[in-house]
Amino acid sequence: MMSGIRIFTDGACSGNPGPGGWGAVIVNDDGTERELSGGEGQTTNNRMELMAVIEALKYTGAVEGPITITTDSVYVKDGITKWIFNWQKNNWKTASKAPVKNQDLWKELLSLTSGKKIQWDWVRGHTGHPENERCDCLARGEILRFRY
């Protein structure tokens, strides 16, 4: 893991689509932490996974040092580190020529990561990783705002 800002993220949905939430924990160089969360009444799990990363990166703003982002979403990690380059090259179409889902969020994430030194780490969800569990709790708490 690089030194610098560490971002942990998770997204969740009750039904897919359904009410969704996202959570992020940002740990600064000095050890201070910030929790962020939000949600939508009708969304998908993948959109919430992307929103968690996007909102955390927006919060960190113009940080120039290294950033480590830890997610339990293979969709997010592989999407931004592997798939996005072909999507761009193919005019935002998948290998099967279908439009890329969540294009709006992928484009925003690409813009937010451009020029930054980011290490992407994946962890298996729901296995006791402390920050991932915190993010999951934040995301699930947001879902409750739309369920009742």
Side-chain angles (χ1 to χ4, degrees):
M1 183 182 314
M2 298 185 294
S3 63
I5 291 179
R6 293 176 293 145
I7 296 173
F8 302 88
T9 65
D10 197 18
C13 229
S14 182
N16 199 22
W22 58 266
V25 174
I26 300 167
V27 182
N28 293 310
D29 283 334
D30 64 5
T32 58
E33 297 182 1
R34 171 79 173 157
E35 293 181 346
L36 305 173
S37 62
E40 295 178 17
Q42 188 67 12
T43 190
T44 65
N45 186 65
N46 284 340
R47 286 190 72 81
M48 293 295 92
E49 294 282 2
L50 284 163
M51 284 300 299
V53 177
I54 287 168
E55 293 301 325
L57 285 170
K58 283 182 184 176
Y59 181 83
T60 61
V63 168
E64 297 199 14
I67 300 171
T68 300
I69 299 174
T70 302
T71 178
D72 64 4
S73 172
V74 171
Y75 175 71
V76 170
K77 182 181 181 288
D78 286 354
I80 196 65
T81 62
K82 298 176 185 176
W83 308 333
I84 203 160
F85 307 108
N86 281 332
W87 292 340
Q88 285 181 290
K89 188 171 69 177
N90 296 324
N91 199 26
W92 293 96
K93 302 274 194 245
T94 64
S96 64
K97 307 292 185 226
V100 171
K101 291 181 181 177
N102 303 312
Q103 246 181 83
D104 57 331
L105 298 181
W106 284 115
K107 289 177 180 178
E108 186 172 9
L109 182 57
L110 185 61
S111 174
L112 288 167
T113 58
S114 180
K116 293 191 183 291
K117 184 175 181 180
I118 298 177
Q119 174 178 315
W120 293 88
D121 291 339
W122 177 82
V123 296
R124 184 173 305 280
H126 310 290
T127 58
H129 184 282
E131 291 85 2
N132 181 256
E133 297 294 339
R134 280 175 65 193
C135 291
D136 183 64
C137 285
L138 291 168
R140 296 208 171 274
E142 290 294 331
I143 290 171
L144 294 177
R145 293 188 317 124
F146 298 102
R147 300 269 325 200
Y148 302 101

